[in-house]
Amino acid sequence: MAYSEKVIDHYENPRNVGALDAKDEAVGTGLVGAPACGDVMKLQIKVNDQGVIEDAKFKTFGCGSAIASSSLATEWIKGKTLDQANTIKNTEIAQHLSLPPVKLHCSMLAEDAIRAAIQDYKQKHRAA
Amino acid sequence: MVTRPIYLDYQSTTPCDPRVLEIMLPYFTEEFGNPHSRSHAYGWRAEEAVEGARGHVAKIINADPREVIFTSGATESNNLALKGVAQFYKAQKDHIVTCVTEHKCVLDSCRHLEQEGFKITYLPVQPNGIIDLNRLRDTLTDRTALVSIMAVNNEIGVIQPLAEIGKICRERGVFFHTDAAQAVGKIPMDVEAMNIDLLSISAHKLYGPKGVGALYVRRKPRVRLTALITGGGQERGMRSGTLSTPLCVGMGVACAIAQAEMREEYARLCTLRDRFYNTIRSELEEVYLNGDFEQRIPGNLNISFAHVEGEGLMMGVKELAVSSGSACTSASLEPSYVLRALGVEEEMAHTSLRIGFGRFTTEVEVDAAAQKIIIEVNRLREMSPLWEMSREGINLKSIQWAAH
């Protein structure tokens, strides 16, 4: 399968690979996908007092499109408020990366990862 | 010139050996006769060439040339063996035994026969990829017409115990067919010693041309089959159609070369394979070989690199032409059915690469490939949440994953 240039760029030079301290109150962690399905994404956000995502990190087990989708997602959510980040759609990710139909699930997973990270952050703060 | 990837996919196909091509070429042009023309020298010369080729094909499996019929490839040979025998003997026998790790063309032929009312037993394999002979013995009945078990698996390279299977079948009066597309020219094959009644060969898996293959059909005791392709009655009525003289000639030369060089090439590939595998294992943790290590052709390694997805890895090693048992490479989105049949978990099936070595593989290529894979596996593991979790001692099975 031929990958788009943008997928190749994100795959070869992934942005924001790494981990944040999941126990930190300011950090929200989303873990989505399943090893048996061939892709797992972990996306983390660090939110400041103004409710802005000041840092984001990811780790992904999956194909090039999955890695690229999560890399792009971290790039896009940085600097956004939680509400803004919540509006990012899988279709935008898929379109930006020119994903073929068979790879659309990668972009859906990236959207799920963003939502899961935000939810985790909100849950922590509701409890606190 | 753009440098091409290092070719490590010899189970998929092999390049036509230049020595083979050279001998084929005149049969496209000046020696163009129809090998079935009996009335003039053009036909006689073509026939002589085809019969010479048939002799080489027969010799590499220790058969009589009259027992070899040319086909378009192993897929056709397998179709003919299964459907042809099933149709011919269906009044007395309606049961066929095969195995879950067979090539799709065998499994799909069996599915078609099932729809026509035949009973098919799909034997499981053991975790090393090899069938259990006791289960085979237990499944045979007086209604069993045919056992079809491949010689060498195309994904994991394991060799089935052919002589033992042949012995069991002969004792029970059941025909034994083997898909030997990955075996002929790689390991010694002997239809007499192994009691094989039908055997499929593909030319392009042994450095011959694409588009030609053969089916061995035993004469004593005679195996009969109903032809799938009817017409002029060529190939003793079992496969009509004008033979392609250049393709048959190419297949014959390919068999002759493979037979002459088999011993030496086998040893060379073992050395290359061990060199590659030892390098990988000394540099990377959690690397697992799929399929038996001993009962395996030296030209194949199927390796799972834990916590690194196969398609993602292939993208990283784009300088290498390899294939993956991972889902995404195929249209099905399912991981390899062969690996699943071994009991390899889905996650591990997604992390596998099939690496094939062959006649034109060099030590330099093998070293470069090993280094490239080591670098990429390490890079992708640093990026893998599963690797991170396993390093932290988290049992991945304890997590409630959301399937999607």
Side-chain angles (χ1 to χ4, degrees):
Chain A
M1 190 183 306
Y3 293 94
S4 73
E5 269 178 44
K6 281 180 180 152
V7 169
I8 293 170
D9 179 39
H10 276 280
Y11 174 83
E12 288 178 351
N13 312 292
R15 283 48 141 186
N16 309 309
V17 174
L20 300 169
D21 181 5
K23 293 190 192 78
D24 186 338
E25 277 299 306
V27 170
T29 301
L31 182 66
V32 296
C37 301
D39 29 35
V40 175
M41 287 180 192
K42 189 186 80 166
L43 192 146
Q44 294 182 299
I45 52 173
K46 186 170 189 178
V47 184
N48 67 17
D49 296 341
Q50 285 76 48
V52 173
I53 298 170
E54 58 172 35
D55 200 5
K57 296 280 182 201
F58 85 94
K59 285 198 176 188
T60 289
F61 163 84
C63 66
S65 301
I67 290 170
S69 296
S70 35
S71 168
L72 180 67
T74 58
E75 214 176 25
W76 278 0
I77 59 176
K78 265 194 183 181
K80 285 197 167 67
T81 65
L82 292 178
D83 288 343
Q84 286 168 335
N86 234 338
T87 64
I88 291 173
K89 297 262 186 308
N90 65 70
T91 47
E92 297 167 312
I93 294 170
Q95 197 174 16
H96 183 84
L97 295 172
S98 311
L99 296 183
V102 70
K103 293 296 179 189
L104 290 182
H105 69 277
C106 298
S107 60
M108 293 177 203
L109 206 57
E111 183 190 306
D112 289 350
I114 298 172
R115 301 275 157 87
I118 292 172
Q119 202 188 355
D120 180 58
Y121 173 82
K122 285 186 173 168
Q123 208 131 24
K124 270 185 184 174
H125 288 259
R126 199 173 300 142
Chain B
M1 194 185 124
V2 184
T3 51
R4 297 197 300 174
I6 297 172
Y7 191 73
L8 294 171
D9 202 11
Y10 279 84
Q11 278 78 55
S12 165
T13 190
T14 62
C16 189
D17 193 305
R19 294 171 289 179
V20 169
L21 178 66
E22 199 187 322
I23 294 175
M24 287 170 64
L25 285 174
Y27 294 96
F28 284 106
T29 52
E30 61 261 39
E31 300 287 355
F32 63 86
N34 184 327
H36 313 293
S37 295
R38 292 285 161 80
S39 54
H40 50 69
Y42 292 89
W44 302 334
R45 291 178 65 94
E47 186 188 19
E48 196 185 326
V50 166
E51 293 315 312
R54 199 187 302 279
H56 289 309
V57 176
K59 196 162 170 246
I60 201 170
I61 56 170
N62 190 27
D64 184 290
R66 290 170 295 177
E67 298 176 306
V68 171
I69 68 166
F70 285 109
T71 65
S72 62
T75 291
E76 186 190 329
S77 298
N78 288 335
N79 269 267
L80 179 55
L82 286 153
K83 295 174 182 170
V85 166
Q87 292 300 346
F88 192 90
Y89 293 96
K90 69 180 167 190
Q92 303 93 46
K93 296 181 170 187
D94 60 356
H95 178 225
I96 290 170
V97 179
T98 186
C99 155
V100 290
T101 55
E102 291 293 311
H103 192 274
K104 286 279 181 185
C105 66
V106 167
L107 294 176
D108 206 49
S109 293
C110 287
R111 296 263 180 248
H112 276 88
L113 290 169
E114 242 173 344
Q115 283 168 1
E116 288 177 32
F118 291 91
K119 292 181 189 66
I120 315 284
T121 300
Y122 299 92
L123 286 176
V125 292
Q126 303 170 93
N128 62 359
I130 292 172
I131 63 160
D132 180 340
L133 293 168
N134 290 324
R135 286 191 83 138
L136 169 67
R137 209 175 274 119
D138 292 345
T139 192
L140 299 180
T141 74
D142 295 339
R143 304 285 293 172
T144 311
L146 185 72
V147 167
S148 180
I149 301 288
M150 71 203 319
V152 170
N153 184 273
N154 50 305
E155 284 193 39
I156 54 174
V158 300
I159 306 167
Q160 296 290 352
L162 300 170
E164 289 83 345
I165 297 169
K167 187 163 175 278
I168 292 168
C169 291
R170 187 58 56 89
E171 281 167 7
R172 293 295 305 264
V174 175
F175 292 137
F176 174 31
H177 165 249
T178 188
D179 170 6
Q182 301 285 349
V184 172
K186 316 288 162 63
I187 53 171
M189 292 293 295
D190 185 330
V191 294
E192 291 307 324
M194 295 168 172
N195 286 313
I196 294 166
D197 299 302
L198 300 116
L199 180 150
S200 303
I201 315 178
S202 166
H204 78 97
K205 307 283 193 195
L206 70 151
Y207 311 94
K210 291 168 181 61
V212 64
L215 180 65
Y216 159 79
V217 185
R218 178 175 287 281
R219 281 164 67 94
K220 280 181 197 160
R222 190 173 178 199
V223 178
R224 306 192 63 182
L225 42 81
T226 304
L228 299 181
I229 299 175
T230 53
Q234 290 91 345
E235 298 301 89
R236 294 172 42 240
M238 286 187 269
R239 206 280 190 179
S240 289
T242 298
L243 287 175
S244 164
T245 311
L247 294 183
C248 295
V249 165
M251 181 169 186
V253 179
C255 287
I257 293 173
Q259 192 172 11
E261 299 178 355
M262 191 186 299
R263 187 192 287 262
E264 210 176 316
E265 179 65 0
Y266 186 93
R268 193 185 76 89
L269 287 176
C270 282
T271 308
L272 284 180
R273 186 264 317 266
D274 291 347
R275 186 181 174 95
F276 177 88
Y277 191 48
N278 291 338
T279 308
I280 293 280
R281 281 200 306 175
S282 66
E283 298 284 329
L284 293 173
E285 299 167 70
E286 295 206 48
V287 168
Y288 304 99
L289 182 72
N290 296 309
D292 199 89
F293 185 75
E294 298 299 331
Q295 290 303 309
R296 156 188 230 107
I297 55 163
N300 171 283
L301 283 174
N302 189 305
I303 304 177
S304 286
F305 299 90
H307 313 312
V308 176
E309 200 274 333
E311 193 194 349
L313 178 55
M314 283 207 300
M315 188 173 169
V317 295
K318 58 181 187 295
E319 299 86 349
L320 314 178
V322 294
S323 73
S324 170
S326 169
C328 309
T329 47
S330 65
S332 67
L333 288 176
E334 293 290 324
S336 156
Y337 69 96
V338 172
L339 296 182
R340 297 288 294 132
L342 306 190
V344 174
E345 288 185 38
E346 271 187 83
E347 185 220 328
M348 289 302 275
H350 279 292
T351 69
S352 77
L353 283 192
R354 180 182 73 179
I355 299 147
F357 310 103
R359 186 176 288 170
F360 302 100
T361 308
T362 64
E363 203 172 271
V364 172
E365 288 180 327
V366 159
D367 289 349
Q371 288 312 319
K372 189 66 205 170
I373 289 171
I374 289 163
I375 289 167
E376 273 308 305
V377 168
N378 281 328
R379 183 180 90 95
L380 291 169
R381 278 181 174 171
E382 283 310 307
M383 222 189 280
S384 166
L386 303 180
W387 179 253
E388 179 185 73
M389 291 159 86
S390 87
R391 293 302 95 177
E392 289 166 359
I394 298 169
N395 179 3
L396 295 175
K397 288 186 186 63
S398 70
I399 292 172
Q400 194 76 40
W401 299 102
H404 55 282

XYZ file of all heavy atoms in Angstrom, chain A residues 1 3 7-8 11-14 17-19 31-42 58-65 67 102-103 105 109, chain B residues 307-309 311-313 315-318 327-328 331 333 335 346-347 350-351 376 379-386 388-389 396 399 401-404:
550
model
N 0.841 -1.192 0.000
C 0.000 0.000 0.000
C 0.885 1.255 0.000
O 1.858 1.335 0.729
C -0.887 -0.015 1.242
C -1.956 1.062 1.216
S -2.895 1.021 2.737
C -3.414 -0.692 2.786
N 1.645 4.959 1.010
C 1.227 5.906 2.032
C 1.356 7.334 1.509
O 2.206 7.627 0.680
C 2.108 5.757 3.272
C 1.923 4.449 3.988
C 2.740 3.358 3.715
C 0.915 4.299 4.928
C 2.568 2.149 4.372
C 0.736 3.094 5.588
C 1.568 2.026 5.306
O 1.392 0.848 5.965
N 1.574 10.985 5.948
C 1.664 9.815 6.831
C 3.132 9.437 7.003
O 3.602 9.193 8.127
C 0.855 8.625 6.273
C 1.174 7.347 7.038
C -0.640 8.908 6.341
N 3.854 9.423 5.911
C 5.270 9.045 5.975
C 6.034 10.027 6.859
O 6.851 9.630 7.698
C 5.878 8.982 4.561
C 5.237 7.812 3.785
C 7.397 8.817 4.618
C 5.556 7.786 2.312
N 5.204 9.345 10.415
C 5.735 8.041 10.821
C 7.243 8.148 11.059
O 7.770 7.624 12.045
C 5.445 6.995 9.741
C 6.096 5.667 10.017
C 5.505 4.738 10.873
C 7.324 5.333 9.431
C 6.108 3.530 11.143
C 7.936 4.127 9.693
C 7.332 3.216 10.548
O 7.939 2.032 10.814
N 7.922 8.844 10.152
C 9.377 8.921 10.268
C 9.824 9.955 11.300
O 10.868 9.781 11.926
C 9.990 9.216 8.893
C 9.902 7.992 7.983
C 10.440 8.210 6.580
O 10.738 9.371 6.233
O 10.537 7.210 5.843
N 9.041 10.999 11.456
C 9.369 12.043 12.444
C 8.169 12.291 13.347
O 7.550 13.352 13.291
C 9.730 13.359 11.730
C 10.732 13.129 10.608
O 11.875 12.786 10.847
N 10.278 13.296 9.370
N 7.820 11.312 14.138
C 6.616 11.476 14.956
C 6.783 12.623 15.943
O 7.863 12.810 16.521
C 6.483 10.133 15.674
C 7.845 9.544 15.648
C 8.507 10.041 14.413
N 6.279 12.099 20.858
C 6.325 10.740 21.409
C 6.801 10.833 22.843
O 7.712 11.602 23.151
C 7.318 9.859 20.627
C 7.465 8.487 21.304
C 6.844 9.674 19.195
N 6.189 10.059 23.712
C 6.680 10.029 25.081
C 5.568 9.818 26.072
O 4.464 9.409 25.698
N 5.864 10.079 27.334
C 4.882 9.831 28.380
C 4.900 10.966 29.380
O 5.934 11.579 29.634
C 5.207 8.507 29.072
N -6.287 5.594 26.903
C -5.714 4.377 26.323
C -6.824 3.682 25.553
O -7.806 3.232 26.140
C -5.166 3.468 27.436
C -4.487 2.177 26.985
C -3.205 2.458 26.224
C -4.197 1.286 28.194
N -6.700 3.625 24.239
C -7.785 3.060 23.423
C -7.237 2.026 22.448
O -6.036 1.975 22.191
C -8.526 4.176 22.634
C -9.220 5.147 23.577
C -7.583 4.904 21.689
N -8.162 1.231 21.903
C -7.760 0.178 20.974
C -7.525 -1.115 21.717
O -7.780 -1.210 22.923
N -7.030 -2.123 21.016
C -6.771 -3.421 21.621
C -5.633 -4.115 20.873
O -5.573 -4.047 19.653
C -8.029 -4.286 21.565
N -4.745 -4.753 21.630
C -3.624 -5.434 20.975
C -4.097 -6.459 19.941
O -3.500 -6.600 18.879
C -2.897 -6.136 22.124
C -3.300 -5.414 23.357
C -4.685 -4.889 23.093
N -5.204 -7.134 20.257
C -5.697 -8.170 19.359
C -6.172 -7.606 18.023
O -6.219 -8.308 17.023
C -6.835 -8.947 20.034
N -6.534 -6.322 18.031
C -6.981 -5.693 16.787
C -5.818 -5.071 16.016
O -6.002 -4.557 14.919
C -8.029 -4.624 17.068
S -9.473 -5.260 17.910
N -4.652 -5.066 16.630
C -3.489 -4.551 15.909
C -3.232 -3.073 16.096
O -2.321 -2.536 15.490
N -4.027 -2.408 16.917
C -3.635 -1.035 17.264
C -4.077 -0.598 18.650
O -5.202 -0.866 19.091
C -4.031 0.023 16.220
C -5.270 -0.338 15.431
O -6.154 -0.958 16.034
O -5.351 0.022 14.241
N -3.168 0.040 19.343
C -3.401 0.594 20.675
C -2.772 1.980 20.702
O -1.629 2.143 20.292
C -2.752 -0.271 21.779
C -2.908 0.399 23.151
C -3.349 -1.667 21.801
N -3.538 2.969 21.163
C -2.993 4.318 21.300
C -3.093 4.755 22.743
O -4.138 4.573 23.385
C -3.807 5.326 20.469
C -3.594 5.220 18.986
S -4.596 6.463 18.150
C -4.411 5.862 16.457
N -1.995 5.370 23.210
C -2.035 6.018 24.515
C -1.764 7.494 24.265
O -0.737 7.852 23.707
C -0.975 5.445 25.444
C -1.140 5.940 26.890
C -0.025 5.488 27.785
C 1.186 6.380 27.594
N 2.196 6.235 28.640
N 2.174 10.987 23.077
C 1.496 9.749 22.678
C 2.493 8.613 22.560
O 3.696 8.820 22.393
C 0.764 9.938 21.343
C 1.646 9.726 20.131
C 1.702 8.472 19.503
C 2.427 10.758 19.632
C 2.523 8.275 18.383
C 3.255 10.560 18.514
C 3.298 9.317 17.898
N 1.930 7.410 22.645
C 2.646 6.196 22.231
C 1.632 5.340 21.510
O 0.492 5.201 21.957
C 3.222 5.444 23.433
C 4.459 6.114 24.015
C 5.265 5.166 24.902
C 6.550 5.869 25.366
N 7.451 4.937 26.075
N 2.030 4.771 20.391
C 1.091 3.970 19.602
C 1.711 2.669 19.120
O 2.856 2.648 18.667
C 0.589 4.788 18.382
O -0.268 5.819 18.854
C -0.183 3.910 17.393
N 0.932 1.601 19.277
C 1.242 0.295 18.693
C 0.309 0.171 17.508
O -0.911 0.188 17.664
C 0.956 -0.806 19.727
C 0.844 -2.202 19.172
C 1.980 -2.969 18.942
C -0.400 -2.762 18.901
C 1.876 -4.262 18.451
C -0.513 -4.058 18.412
C 0.627 -4.813 18.185
N 0.854 0.147 16.321
C -0.026 0.040 15.158
C 0.715 0.307 13.873
O 1.943 0.461 13.857
N -0.052 0.387 12.801
C 0.543 0.606 11.490
C 0.952 2.066 11.331
O 0.723 2.893 12.220
C -0.451 0.211 10.404
S -1.903 1.258 10.369
N 1.525 2.398 10.215
C 1.997 3.755 9.963
C 0.887 4.780 10.066
O 1.085 5.880 10.598
N -0.298 4.429 9.601
C -1.418 5.369 9.639
C -1.877 5.620 11.081
O -2.292 6.733 11.419
C -2.595 4.822 8.824
O -2.200 4.607 7.502
N 0.097 5.440 13.743
C 1.135 6.284 14.354
C 0.961 7.732 13.884
O 0.983 8.668 14.689
C 2.542 5.728 14.017
C 2.769 4.413 14.771
C 3.634 6.756 14.354
C 4.007 3.639 14.361
N -9.594 1.911 4.032
C -9.224 0.792 4.899
C -8.486 1.262 6.164
O -8.382 0.541 7.142
C -8.403 -0.254 4.104
C -7.035 0.283 3.752
C -8.284 -1.569 4.849
N -8.030 2.530 6.152
C -7.299 3.063 7.305
C -8.108 4.077 8.114
O -7.567 4.711 9.028
C -6.002 3.732 6.827
C -4.994 2.756 6.237
C -4.524 1.785 7.293
C -3.538 0.795 6.709
N -3.240 -0.275 7.664
N -10.232 3.646 10.339
C -10.338 3.299 11.764
C -9.181 3.899 12.574
O -9.307 4.141 13.753
C -10.430 1.785 11.948
C -9.170 1.054 11.615
N -8.844 0.709 10.326
C -8.146 0.631 12.389
C -7.676 0.083 10.331
N -7.232 0.030 11.563
N -9.711 6.033 15.934
C -9.042 5.681 17.178
C -8.358 6.911 17.781
O -8.365 7.112 19.003
C -8.019 4.567 16.895
C -7.656 3.656 18.053
C -8.887 2.971 18.632
C -6.650 2.607 17.605
N 5.112 -6.514 20.741
C 4.736 -5.116 20.984
C 5.084 -4.167 19.839
O 5.056 -2.952 20.020
C 5.339 -4.595 22.298
C 5.147 -5.540 23.443
N 3.935 -6.115 23.715
C 6.016 -6.034 24.366
C 4.058 -6.920 24.759
N 5.306 -6.896 25.160
N 5.427 -4.730 18.674
C 5.637 -3.896 17.496
C 4.729 -4.436 16.389
O 4.841 -5.598 16.001
C 7.109 -3.942 17.019
C 7.268 -3.146 15.740
C 8.033 -3.395 18.095
N 3.854 -3.603 15.889
C 2.881 -4.070 14.898
C 3.579 -4.298 13.549
O 4.390 -3.490 13.102
C 1.761 -3.032 14.787
C 0.475 -3.555 14.200
C 0.459 -3.493 12.691
O 1.147 -2.626 12.127
O -0.219 -4.326 12.079
N 2.766 -4.336 10.296
C 2.688 -3.435 9.145
C 3.466 -2.156 9.411
O 4.144 -1.620 8.524
C 1.232 -3.103 8.805
C 1.140 -2.434 7.439
C -0.201 -1.772 7.174
O -1.145 -1.995 7.944
O -0.271 -1.027 6.197
N 3.365 -1.668 10.661
C 4.144 -0.496 11.036
C 5.632 -0.777 10.868
O 6.398 0.058 10.379
N 6.043 -1.993 11.239
C 7.450 -2.368 11.121
C 7.874 -2.445 9.651
O 8.948 -1.982 9.277
C 7.679 -3.708 11.839
C 9.089 -4.288 11.787
C 10.128 -3.296 12.311
C 9.161 -5.587 12.597
N 6.753 -0.787 7.263
C 6.891 0.571 6.724
C 8.254 1.144 7.112
O 8.864 1.891 6.349
C 5.767 1.429 7.298
C 5.664 2.800 6.687
S 4.189 3.606 7.321
C 4.494 5.260 6.734
N 8.716 0.758 8.290
C 10.007 1.251 8.757
C 11.176 0.589 8.052
O 12.236 1.181 7.898
N 10.975 -0.637 7.622
C 12.065 -1.333 6.929
C 11.756 -1.374 5.436
O 11.833 -2.423 4.802
C 12.310 -2.756 7.508
C 12.789 -2.661 8.952
C 11.064 -3.619 7.427
N 11.446 -0.225 4.890
C 11.028 -0.198 3.485
C 12.167 -0.543 2.529
O 11.931 -0.821 1.361
C 10.402 1.150 3.131
C 11.290 2.360 3.348
C 10.530 3.634 2.978
C 11.430 4.848 3.016
N 11.940 5.156 4.373
N -2.626 -8.007 10.110
C -3.902 -7.855 9.434
C -3.824 -6.954 8.221
O -4.260 -7.284 7.134
C -4.900 -7.266 10.408
N -3.247 -5.801 8.452
C -3.500 -4.687 7.556
C -2.947 -4.886 6.155
O -3.341 -4.196 5.228
C -2.925 -3.423 8.168
S -3.473 -3.207 9.858
N -6.480 -7.712 2.570
C -7.753 -7.011 2.506
C -8.675 -7.420 3.650
O -9.615 -6.729 3.982
C -8.411 -7.287 1.168
N -8.276 -7.710 6.909
C -8.125 -7.090 8.223
C -8.028 -8.101 9.366
O -8.091 -7.748 10.526
C -9.248 -6.088 8.527
C -9.209 -4.776 7.747
C -10.422 -3.914 8.062
C -7.938 -3.985 8.034
N -5.639 -11.056 11.229
C -4.261 -11.536 11.219
C -4.197 -12.946 10.622
O -5.216 -13.615 10.491
C -3.864 -11.541 12.689
C -5.141 -11.608 13.444
C -6.180 -10.953 12.581
N -3.634 -13.349 18.965
C -3.860 -12.336 17.933
C -2.844 -11.210 18.010
O -2.328 -10.758 16.999
C -5.280 -11.772 18.037
C -6.279 -12.574 17.223
C -7.636 -11.913 17.202
O -7.822 -11.014 16.377
O -8.490 -12.305 18.017
N -2.561 -10.781 19.233
C -1.611 -9.679 19.376
C -0.263 -10.048 18.765
O 0.351 -9.272 18.045
C -1.431 -9.320 20.847
C -0.554 -8.096 21.024
C 0.413 -8.199 22.189
O 0.068 -8.838 23.190
O 1.517 -7.635 22.088
N -0.141 -10.171 15.047
C -0.022 -8.846 14.433
C 1.420 -8.351 14.385
O 1.715 -7.373 13.713
C -0.849 -7.818 15.226
C -2.311 -7.830 14.891
N -2.770 -7.410 13.664
C -3.391 -8.206 15.592
C -4.090 -7.532 13.651
N -4.489 -8.020 14.803
N 2.295 -8.994 15.147
C 3.671 -8.482 15.236
C 4.655 -9.296 14.400
O 5.858 -9.197 14.589
C 4.174 -8.483 16.700
O 4.350 -9.843 17.125
C 3.199 -7.790 17.632
N 14.796 -0.514 13.701
C 13.376 -0.140 13.614
C 12.564 -0.729 14.756
O 11.658 -0.078 15.279
C 12.781 -0.581 12.276
C 12.953 0.430 11.164
C 12.479 1.846 11.525
O 11.313 2.010 11.936
O 13.286 2.779 11.401
N 13.218 1.410 17.696
C 12.562 2.721 17.553
C 11.057 2.596 17.822
O 10.471 3.389 18.558
C 12.782 3.254 16.130
C 12.190 4.644 15.891
C 12.429 5.130 14.462
N 11.375 4.764 13.541
C 10.337 5.547 13.203
N 10.231 6.754 13.722
N 9.420 5.143 12.365
N 10.448 1.583 17.226
C 8.994 1.436 17.375
C 8.606 0.986 18.782
O 7.527 1.318 19.269
C 8.451 0.482 16.312
C 8.518 1.052 14.889
C 8.224 -0.025 13.849
C 7.554 2.220 14.708
N 9.489 0.240 19.415
C 9.183 -0.156 20.802
C 9.200 1.070 21.719
O 8.387 1.165 22.642
C 10.177 -1.217 21.285
C 9.781 -2.607 20.802
C 10.727 -3.679 21.285
N 10.222 -5.010 20.922
C 10.914 -6.118 21.058
N 12.143 -6.082 21.541
N 10.384 -7.284 20.710
N 10.101 1.991 21.454
C 10.133 3.219 22.244
C 8.823 3.993 22.074
O 8.451 4.803 22.912
C 11.312 4.099 21.823
C 12.655 3.631 22.370
C 12.595 3.369 23.874
O 12.154 4.275 24.607
O 12.968 2.252 24.301
N 8.159 3.724 20.979
C 6.922 4.424 20.648
C 5.695 3.589 21.005
O 4.569 3.997 20.767
C 6.934 4.632 19.121
C 6.458 5.982 18.653
S 6.278 5.937 16.860
C 7.942 6.150 16.329
N 5.916 2.387 21.525
C 4.797 1.460 21.737
C 4.304 1.488 23.184
O 5.072 1.231 24.117
C 5.230 0.035 21.382
O 4.279 -0.891 21.873
N 3.017 1.779 23.382
C 2.479 1.766 24.747
C 2.523 0.360 25.358
O 2.656 0.212 26.569
C 1.032 2.239 24.573
C 0.691 1.963 23.146
C 1.974 2.072 22.378
N 2.455 -0.656 24.505
C 2.470 -2.033 25.021
C 3.850 -2.395 25.553
O 3.997 -3.066 26.569
C 2.049 -3.014 23.918
C 0.691 -2.759 23.275
C 0.407 -3.810 22.215
C -0.415 -2.740 24.322
N 6.008 -0.242 26.721
C 6.148 0.529 27.952
C 5.472 -0.187 29.119
O 6.044 -0.347 30.192
C 5.501 1.903 27.724
C 5.535 2.842 28.911
C 4.766 4.128 28.601
O 3.512 4.097 28.548
O 5.418 5.154 28.378
N 4.261 -0.665 28.862
C 3.515 -1.349 29.925
C 4.202 -2.646 30.318
O 4.275 -2.984 31.504
C 2.080 -1.614 29.463
C 1.268 -0.321 29.338
S -0.177 -0.507 28.260
C -1.347 -1.126 29.402
N -0.474 -7.377 30.279
C -1.369 -6.814 29.268
C -2.711 -7.536 29.225
O -3.715 -6.984 28.806
C -0.699 -6.876 27.895
C 0.559 -6.012 27.747
C 1.214 -6.241 26.406
C 0.227 -4.540 27.914
N -5.705 -6.130 31.363
C -6.381 -4.887 30.984
C -7.644 -5.183 30.181
O -7.665 -6.080 29.336
C -5.412 -3.988 30.192
C -4.325 -3.510 31.151
C -6.146 -2.806 29.556
C -3.204 -2.782 30.508
N -9.441 -4.395 27.382
C -9.303 -3.656 26.130
C -10.658 -3.502 25.460
O -11.473 -4.401 25.525
C -8.362 -4.385 25.174
C -6.986 -4.554 25.716
C -6.459 -5.689 26.262
C -5.958 -3.569 25.780
N -5.171 -5.461 26.678
C -4.831 -4.179 26.386
C -5.868 -2.233 25.395
C -3.642 -3.490 26.610
C -4.682 -1.556 25.615
C -3.586 -2.177 26.220
N -10.853 -2.356 24.863
C -12.095 -2.148 24.118
C -11.860 -2.531 22.660
O -11.142 -1.841 21.950
C -12.513 -0.685 24.219
N -12.424 -3.642 22.242
C -12.267 -4.054 20.843
C -13.008 -3.060 19.956
O -14.007 -2.467 20.371
C -12.820 -5.445 20.648
N -12.478 -2.853 18.778
C -13.115 -1.872 17.896
C -13.243 -2.423 16.496
O -12.730 -3.493 16.192
C -12.334 -0.570 17.893
C -10.887 -0.745 17.530
N -9.962 -1.217 18.429
C -10.225 -0.549 16.375
C -8.781 -1.267 17.844
N -8.906 -0.895 16.596
